[in-house]
Amino acid sequence: MSALLEVRGLTRRFGGLTAVDAVDLDLGEHEFVSIIGPNGAGKTTLFNLVTGLDDPDAGRVRLAGHDVTGFSPEKLAALGVARTFQHGRVFANLSVLDNILVGAHVRFKSVRPAWPAPLSLIEPLAELALALVRPGAVKAEEARMREEALAILARFGDRLLPRKDNPAYSLSYANRRRVEIGRALALGPRLLMLDEPTAGMNQTETAEMQALIGDLKKSGLTILLIEHKLDMVMQLSDRVIVMDEGHVIANGKPAEVRNDPKVIEAYLGHHRADRPPVEEAAE
Amino acid sequence: MSDALLSLENVNTFYGPVQVHFDLNVTVTRGHIVCLLGGNASGKSTTMKIILGLVKPQSGTVRFDGQPTNGLTTPQIVRRGVGSVPEARRLFGEMSVRENLLMGAFTRRDQKAIAADLDRVLTQFPKLAERLGQRAGTLSGGEQQMVAMARALMGRPKLICMDEPTMGLSPLWVDRVLDLIAAINREGVTVFMVEQNASLALEIAHHAYVLQTGRIVLDGPAATLRTDPRIRDAYLGGQEAA
Amino acid sequence: MSSWIDYTVNGLIIGNIYALLAVGLALIFGVSRLINFAHGSVYVVGAYAGFLAVTYLDAPLPVTIGIVVVVGALLGLGIERFGLRPLQGHAHIAPLLATIGISFVLDQLVQLFFKPDPRALPSTLLDQRFQIGSGTIGALDLVIAAIGLLSAGLLYYFLRYTRLGWAVRATAQDRDAAQQMGVDVDAVHRTVFAIASGLGAVSGVLVGMYYNYIDPAMSFQATLKGVVAQVVGGMGNVPGAIAGSLLLGLVESYGIALFGTSYRNLFAFVLLIVVLVLRPNGLFAGRRRAPPEPLTGTFIAPSKPINLPPSALLGAAAVAALVPLMIPSPYVLQVLTNSWLYALLGLSLTLIAGTVGLVSLGHAALLAIGGYASALLTLNAGVPVGAAILSAGLITAFLGTVLVFPSFRLRGHYLSIATLAIGEIVSLVILNWEWLTRGPIGVSGIPSLSLFGFELDTDRSVYWFTLAVMVILAAVQFRLLGSHLGRVFRAVRDDDVAARSYGIRLDRYKALAFAFGSFAAGVSGGITSHIYSYINHETFNAQLSILALTIVILGGMGNVTGAIVGSVLLVGLPEVFRVAAEYRVLIYGLVLLLLVRFRPQGIMGTL
């Protein structure tokens, strides 16, 4: 199994706080790895560093063997890195379908010509002209992408499809998370990074999401997941990485990690044997 | 004395079209540490904002010390005796530690008593005495948490609301913070805290509620919940457990 | 040598006056993240209050200043009450737009009461000058310096040692946390507006005495100077605002020494752009400090846009085309022609400010570039009018995009200020590049409209030509919005971070939208120049930029039909009711203020 993502010594400091501290991480092709850890452990900062939204103070990121440290998010997206956001970042005024289609942006080839150096300057003008004139190839591409987008929406059962023309701001929290995942799938990702996809979902919705993510795993996608719901993590993951205070404190198979005392301490909260808990007769 | 200092009765809250709370009922008994557990986006921080009047519920009543507070502004609620240790501490980073502490007493006019309280919190938090002149933004996370708690105490509140007081702290600091919360409570201040770290919170709490997607799914005395297997399922999102 | 001392003294004195303005803007921005565009109006009202006190009450200087402070403070409370308080929780840019509306209303009221003509505001001090080295310093200079120092001292004491001052600082750093300490942030806002406006009003009266000259039009420039000083010093940074003001005063004064008076403002705005692009947090901010807030600048209220079917749009176009046959009145045709020209400007701005979310406050500059380009191409190069107008559109698209490109990295308010400054720079360049633009004399004798050799010499033909151009460009814009680009533009507007994460290069698409939009504005300016036959650097003034914005908000941001409807309503209706010109600006200001408050989605809805 070759490593698709290789992170070495990645570090990010904010003032006095080291949010991500010399993190190493490997993710093989077709592997499913989850990152768990308490709030403030640095999981989302790590995501931001890997996806180019933030620049590391030290360390390297390699994608399929190429150094991509400091690459812009748009470049990484073109290389096949898709992510969702912890607090949900849908395009609020775009329809559900348009949100998915924006996800496919890097896959529009006919309408976005890629030309070598001197000609690349007028690429945008060519794109404008093609968008207005719409020759057959452009029309066919748009139609194909629409079909695919509808197929993606269909994966969420009847959660999104009946709302495909509604603006995203009118959706429930859970549905916005679904739109985000749909948008990420539309990119045709090589690496899919999901940041708490089930936050704010109830048990039924969580189970549904878990089944969907399980399907994505079966289809061979490489997935990096941040999640708090441990049962889901344990059932889906090939490997689990535990972060605390910016460090990776454990890395292994779900069963190993589950029984690692360091993990129990950091994540579930350590029991403090030295002081008896407050007992209260009044209760 | 075991009457309710704070109660949320059938509270429904919305952010735009999205409902955050569904008929929320929470009671905080005078003199207790009550804790609200829940994952991210479960609605627990919004509960804090409702109590402080930063967000207004669509329906339902918030009652503090017997009086409804729905129609009051945040400063009015604070004046009635609600202190707050906000999420991520939210110190005034460009102001000195001393100025931060005195901002905690903003609603008070009794200069002498304020000065006495300042001395008192400084004996309670001796670390801060050395840092009085320093800009609050330059302190470490744990020290900032100390300032935030001391700042809340400076208002002489009846109730302190704490939003994830242990977030992002090292185990050593987590222990200290929890000890301090218990100590503050022993001095007669009622504590309502929101936590993600269930086991920790349950160690010092009297009573706890578990919030999931805006609904209370479990509640009871902390001593019972500590050993209740359902808490793990409900809180960490197991499959349709119960 | 002596003159250099004089220029330095002069620069510092002017800097002191700017500081009184900029400190207020910084205080207000600090607690409310609002750039108060009505601040210049406070300054003008202060100047006129001083004028009344000196002329009618014969008040000595301290009394005059006392009166002015009180008037200013009361006005500040009013601005807070109507411009800021009702808009809490709205888009960040809403209060900014509201204060623009307020400033239109206030300036116009001052003009109605005092007439637009300049007045003399004599200094009540003896005109005494003291020798320092080889230069001199006047009594008024010393008074201004003393007032500046005293205000700074009082402000320092207030912020550092008073309870309310602490509340102000706490609110500036973290509004929510301050509330949780029991701070009444509304009271803090009122206090800050009163103090800021008191100082701003004093600034106005001092400037009036310094130059012995006041007029209502000083308002806009005063706001701009205060904003420049504040940006240079770092938004919301009070000591920075003072330093920025002194620096601005010196730069202007030395600039005048080197290049002459007409270059003064050019220096100020170039300084602004350079600082914005290179050091957006100001010259004195730490290296890696993030701006206080993202200040996303979009003004898109969620709404259900009214979608007219193509048949209805075609029908409307047909009716518009039949108007000259049904109503032969030249007056009506001229008014409607004017509406179509503004609709072109609206199409441009609704795409740029609405669809892609770049709230431009300097859009009139694009009209100016188009107008001059077309006029000069026909006059100097003998290009046929039709081809010249087309070229004017292309030149505007190119120049406009190149000028704004460095600012694309700015967000929200910062971009809006940059566009405002670029607009001023364009106007000043037109004024100063006499070899190309004929400078203040303007361009006259511009050939009238013609197409393929046919003179469009009747009101009807001009009407049809303008309508046709507008309809064609509107149709093209519809097609653009229906393509993947429409989707991408709106994604950039809604969430630029998410857009980047999905491979959208922001610069590229902002530039595309800006270029496309600028083309329509350039064409509008070009046609206008041929209809007017004479243009100068004031033909396309900053008021037009705000009118354009009002048109676009009225129609619904991003909405193509909305831009046309907004233009007909705002440009056409006042003509129909023969509203006198001086009341028109007042109406525009009120409409903007009311829209922002009560109907931000406009008539046709945002898209």
Side-chain angles (χ1 to χ4, degrees):
Chain A
M1 195 159 55
S2 59
L4 177 66
L5 180 72
E6 244 183 272
V7 170
R8 288 291 173 272
L10 208 60
T11 301
R12 177 70 168 105
R13 298 181 199 94
F14 296 108
L17 176 83
T18 306
V20 170
D21 197 349
V23 165
D24 292 343
L25 185 156
D26 284 284
L27 184 58
E29 202 95 47
H30 312 302
E31 206 182 2
F32 192 119
V33 173
S34 295
I35 304 178
I36 63 171
N39 278 352
K43 305 180 299 288
T44 296
T45 308
L46 178 65
F47 260 38
N48 286 344
L49 292 172
V50 170
T51 54
L53 281 176
D54 197 357
D55 290 325
D57 292 308
R60 318 297 313 166
V61 179
R62 295 165 79 80
L63 186 71
H66 300 285
D67 193 333
V68 296
T69 321
F71 272 32
S72 66
E74 39 286 34
K75 229 170 174 175
L76 286 162
L79 293 173
V81 178
R83 74 170 289 184
T84 66
F85 294 88
Q86 188 185 3
H87 298 293
R89 302 191 79 134
V90 290
F91 303 113
N93 292 284
L94 263 63
S95 70
V96 168
L97 188 62
D98 277 350
N99 265 282
I100 308 290
L101 283 166
V102 171
H105 181 74
V106 297
R107 292 169 52 231
F108 280 82
K109 301 288 182 204
S110 303
V111 77
R112 296 191 318 130
W115 290 334
L119 282 178
S120 62
L121 274 175
I122 57 162
E123 255 177 38
L125 293 178
E127 185 176 345
L128 178 63
L130 287 168
L132 292 174
V133 177
R134 292 184 212 162
V138 169
K139 266 190 204 152
E141 183 179 58
E142 176 84 15
R144 198 173 65 245
M145 293 293 184
R146 256 169 213 278
E147 284 305 311
E148 286 182 27
L150 289 172
I152 287 173
L153 289 180
R155 299 186 79 148
F156 298 89
D158 59 358
R159 299 282 192 183
L160 296 179
L161 214 44
R163 302 181 173 84
K164 68 180 170 57
D165 296 319
N166 296 7
Y169 69 76
S170 67
L171 299 180
S172 71
Y173 195 82
N175 266 339
R176 291 187 208 190
R177 310 313 304 258
R178 295 188 183 100
V179 168
E180 272 213 81
I181 291 171
R183 185 174 67 184
L185 292 177
L187 184 133
R190 256 185 111 170
L191 169 61
L192 177 62
M193 299 170 66
L194 303 172
D195 197 343
E196 277 206 65
T198 67
M201 288 191 179
N202 64 25
Q203 279 149 339
T204 325
E205 293 169 331
T206 302
E208 229 177 84
M209 183 54 73
Q210 182 174 339
L212 176 76
I213 296 175
D215 286 347
L216 296 177
K217 178 188 174 182
K218 271 189 219 120
S219 73
L221 257 176
T222 311
I223 297 175
L224 196 57
L225 169 77
I226 294 177
E227 185 52 72
H228 281 292
K229 292 178 183 165
L230 286 193
D231 286 349
M232 174 172 161
V233 166
M234 296 302 166
Q235 285 168 29
L236 287 172
S237 310
D238 298 321
R239 225 153 26 90
V240 176
I241 289 172
V242 188
M243 283 185 76
D244 191 28
E245 289 177 51
H247 299 279
V248 171
I249 58 163
N251 176 358
K253 298 228 178 312
E256 299 164 14
V257 168
R258 189 199 287 268
N259 298 316
D260 189 327
K262 274 188 299 185
V263 176
I264 295 168
E265 177 169 321
Y267 191 60
L268 293 171
H270 54 147
H271 288 274
R272 301 182 306 161
D274 53 330
R275 199 173 57 82
V278 187
E279 294 299 343
E280 193 53 54
E283 290 288 343
Chain B
M1 200 160 82
S2 116
D3 58 331
L5 178 61
L6 173 81
S7 61
L8 279 71
E9 296 155 19
N10 300 319
V11 164
N12 287 286
T13 316
F14 287 79
Y15 282 140
V18 181
Q19 185 158 7
V20 187
H21 289 145
F22 299 82
D23 282 326
L24 202 64
N25 282 291
V26 171
T27 305
V28 178
T29 307
R30 213 178 280 273
H32 275 188
I33 298 177
V34 173
C35 118
L36 182 68
L37 303 169
N40 286 343
S42 58
K44 55 191 194 332
S45 284
T46 308
T47 313
M48 202 59 103
K49 288 182 180 152
I50 291 278
I51 296 171
L52 285 160
L54 291 162
V55 170
K56 293 292 172 193
Q58 193 96 343
S59 65
T61 312
V62 185
R63 219 177 278 283
F64 177 70
D65 218 0
Q67 303 288 321
T69 61
N70 291 45
L72 301 183
T73 64
T74 303
Q76 286 168 329
I77 293 171
V78 172
R79 272 164 215 278
R80 299 212 168 175
V82 181
S84 140
V85 179
E87 188 183 353
R89 304 175 270 279
R90 308 283 289 264
L91 297 186
F92 305 112
E94 303 285 313
M95 294 168 86
S96 69
V97 169
R98 187 167 177 277
E99 287 173 323
N100 267 279
L101 295 179
L102 291 175
M103 274 310 292
F106 186 78
T107 54
R108 297 168 56 189
R109 298 277 187 175
D110 43 347
Q111 293 307 327
K112 273 195 188 140
I114 293 176
D117 280 356
L118 185 61
D119 287 342
R120 203 166 55 87
V121 297
L122 289 179
T123 49
Q124 209 167 354
F125 300 85
K127 276 250 164 198
L128 301 185
E130 306 157 21
R131 304 247 190 261
L132 271 185
Q134 209 168 319
R135 279 198 303 122
T138 62
L139 301 183
S140 76
E143 289 169 334
Q144 291 199 14
Q145 190 63 44
M146 298 283 128
V147 178
M149 285 165 60
R151 183 177 67 174
L153 283 175
M154 285 296 292
R156 283 204 183 169
K158 295 176 190 154
L159 171 75
I160 293 192
C161 294
M162 302 192 183
D163 198 344
E164 295 214 40
T166 65
M167 177 173 150
L169 298 185
S170 65
L172 193 66
W173 275 111
V174 168
D175 274 0
R176 280 190 203 161
V177 166
L178 289 177
D179 287 341
L180 277 165
I181 295 174
I184 289 168
N185 176 246
R186 277 196 297 274
E187 284 172 25
V189 183
T190 309
V191 175
F192 178 69
M193 63 192 259
V194 151
E195 255 298 346
Q196 197 180 42
N197 201 328
S199 325
L200 279 179
L202 288 175
E203 276 183 45
I204 59 162
H206 299 94
H207 196 98
Y209 292 84
V210 177
L211 190 64
Q212 200 182 63
T213 53
R215 290 180 172 89
I216 299 288
V217 290
L218 198 60
D219 91 277
T224 340
L225 288 182
R226 230 170 279 147
T227 52
D228 192 327
R230 283 179 306 166
I231 189 150
R232 202 172 156 280
D233 290 335
Y235 168 51
L236 293 172
Q239 307 294 319
E240 303 284 355
Chain C
M1 215 21 230
S2 77
S3 64
W4 281 102
I5 293 179
D6 282 340
Y7 280 120
T8 307
V9 168
N10 181 273
L12 289 174
I13 297 304
I14 295 295
N16 235 308
I17 291 172
Y18 290 159
L20 289 173
L21 278 169
V23 158
L25 283 169
L27 277 173
I28 290 174
F29 186 84
V31 297
S32 65
R33 302 291 178 265
L34 159 70
I35 301 171
N36 176 18
F37 269 85
H39 210 58
S41 307
V42 173
Y43 163 100
V44 163
V45 171
Y48 277 86
F51 166 78
L52 290 179
V54 169
T55 326
Y56 296 102
L57 301 179
D58 260 335
L61 190 65
V63 176
T64 306
I65 288 186
I67 292 173
V68 166
V69 166
V70 171
V71 169
L74 289 175
L75 192 58
L77 290 175
I79 293 171
E80 191 273 339
R81 177 67 190 79
F82 293 104
L84 182 67
R85 211 183 316 164
L87 295 171
Q88 302 287 352
H90 283 56
H92 273 300
I93 203 145
L96 186 152
L97 298 176
T99 56
I100 292 180
I102 292 177
S103 79
F104 267 48
V105 171
L106 285 177
D107 293 351
Q108 213 53 37
L109 287 176
V110 170
Q111 251 191 63
L112 288 171
F113 278 117
F114 294 97
K115 307 288 170 251
D117 319 313
R119 307 244 179 179
L121 175 52
S123 158
T124 40
L125 293 171
L126 292 176
D127 191 17
Q128 200 177 349
R129 297 196 75 81
F130 308 96
Q131 194 73 29
I132 44 158
S134 48
T136 61
I137 189 164
L140 185 61
D141 296 348
L142 291 174
V143 167
I144 290 174
I147 289 177
L149 284 173
L150 183 70
S151 312
L154 285 176
L155 205 55
Y156 179 83
Y157 179 84
F158 167 73
L159 290 175
R160 199 84 204 176
Y161 299 108
T162 66
R163 215 174 92 88
L164 200 51
W166 283 26
V168 169
R169 285 165 63 208
T171 307
Q173 283 170 50
D174 191 328
R175 190 190 159 78
D176 276 3
Q179 279 187 295
Q180 290 174 44
M181 298 302 117
V183 173
D184 179 353
V185 293
D186 281 339
V188 165
H189 283 159
R190 284 194 291 274
T191 311
V192 160
F193 268 83
I195 294 176
S197 304
L199 293 176
V202 169
S203 174
V205 83
L206 292 179
V207 165
M209 288 186 174
Y210 191 72
Y211 293 114
N212 191 15
Y213 172 99
I214 54 173
D215 80 272
M218 312 189 302
S219 160
F220 184 57
Q221 289 298 330
T223 303
L224 288 184
K225 291 300 169 61
V227 169
V228 176
Q230 209 214 146
V231 169
V232 171
M235 303 274 271
N237 178 344
V238 172
I242 297 176
S245 302
L246 296 177
L247 184 66
L248 176 63
L250 287 175
V251 165
E252 281 189 14
S253 192
Y254 293 144
I256 292 171
L258 290 171
F259 297 96
T261 319
S262 59
Y263 277 89
R264 159 189 221 140
N265 292 342
L266 198 55
F267 277 100
F269 298 127
V270 170
L271 180 68
L272 174 73
I273 295 292
V274 169
V275 172
L276 267 183
V277 171
L278 300 181
R279 299 290 300 263
N281 294 324
L283 292 180
F284 311 108
R287 276 177 304 117
R288 272 192 90 169
R289 220 180 84 189
E293 258 176 71
L295 288 179
T296 40
T298 48
F299 186 66
I300 297 293
S303 71
K304 276 208 159 49
I306 300 169
N307 274 321
L308 296 175
S311 55
L313 293 173
L314 279 176
V319 169
L322 291 175
V323 165
L325 304 177
M326 299 182 297
I327 313 169
S329 145
Y331 176 71
V332 169
L333 291 187
Q334 280 162 17
V335 167
L336 281 175
T337 303
N338 219 5
S339 298
W340 307 141
L341 287 171
Y342 279 101
L344 277 171
L345 181 65
L347 287 175
S348 167
L349 189 59
T350 211
L351 182 74
I352 290 169
T355 309
V356 83
L358 309 169
V359 179
S360 159
L361 297 177
H363 231 59
L366 299 173
L367 290 178
I369 294 175
Y372 271 87
S374 197
L376 295 173
L377 279 175
T378 48
L379 284 173
N380 296 357
V383 176
V385 172
I389 291 173
L390 187 66
S391 315
L394 294 172
I395 289 170
T396 309
F398 177 75
L399 269 186
T401 310
V402 168
L403 285 174
V404 180
F405 196 85
S407 310
F408 282 156
R409 64 162 91 175
L410 302 173
R411 302 173 77 183
H413 289 181
Y414 295 87
L415 178 103
S416 298
I417 300 173
T419 54
L420 188 63
I422 291 166
E424 290 301 298
I425 290 172
V426 166
S427 152
L428 289 164
V429 165
I430 289 173
L431 182 64
N432 283 301
W433 281 9
E434 292 187 23
W435 58 272
L436 180 68
T437 64
R438 309 183 191 177
I441 307 161
V443 183
S444 53
I446 305 169
S448 57
L449 283 175
S450 64
L451 203 56
F452 308 119
F454 296 101
E455 284 289 321
L456 306 179
D457 46 9
T458 62
D459 289 321
R460 266 187 197 180
S461 53
V462 170
Y463 173 94
W464 275 321
F465 173 74
T466 314
L467 176 68
V469 170
M470 195 275 290
V471 167
I472 290 167
L473 282 179
V476 175
Q477 193 155 323
F478 264 120
R479 195 161 169 85
L480 177 76
L481 294 182
S483 75
H484 81 290
L485 284 175
R487 202 158 62 213
V488 169
F489 289 164
R490 295 166 68 214
V492 168
R493 169 195 73 192
D494 277 6
D495 190 329
D496 53 355
V497 171
R500 290 186 71 193
S501 295
Y502 284 90
I504 293 171
R505 281 168 50 196
L506 302 181
D507 277 359
R508 172 180 176 139
Y509 292 100
K510 287 179 183 176
L512 253 184
F514 204 91
F516 187 92
S518 302
F519 178 81
V523 166
S524 175
I527 298 175
T528 307
S529 73
H530 295 286
I531 293 177
Y532 286 6
S533 87
Y534 169 78
I535 56 173
N536 67 15
H537 69 286
E538 283 176 334
T539 309
F540 308 103
N541 59 26
Q543 277 187 357
L544 284 185
S545 300
I546 306 306
L547 172 57
L549 200 61
T550 314
I551 287 175
V552 165
I553 297 175
L554 177 64
M557 292 286 247
N559 194 320
V560 171
T561 7
I564 302 167
V565 170
S567 169
V568 172
L569 288 179
L570 270 188
V571 180
L573 273 191
E575 288 283 356
V576 172
F577 293 108
R578 314 248 167 167
V579 178
E582 58 260 44
Y583 287 101
R584 235 169 257 180
V585 179
L586 196 66
I587 291 173
Y588 295 153
L590 278 174
V591 169
L592 181 60
L593 190 57
L594 294 174
L595 276 174
V596 168
R597 168 88 188 271
F598 296 107
R599 204 170 163 84
Q601 73 273 36
I603 293 175
M604 305 294 286
T606 51
L607 256 159

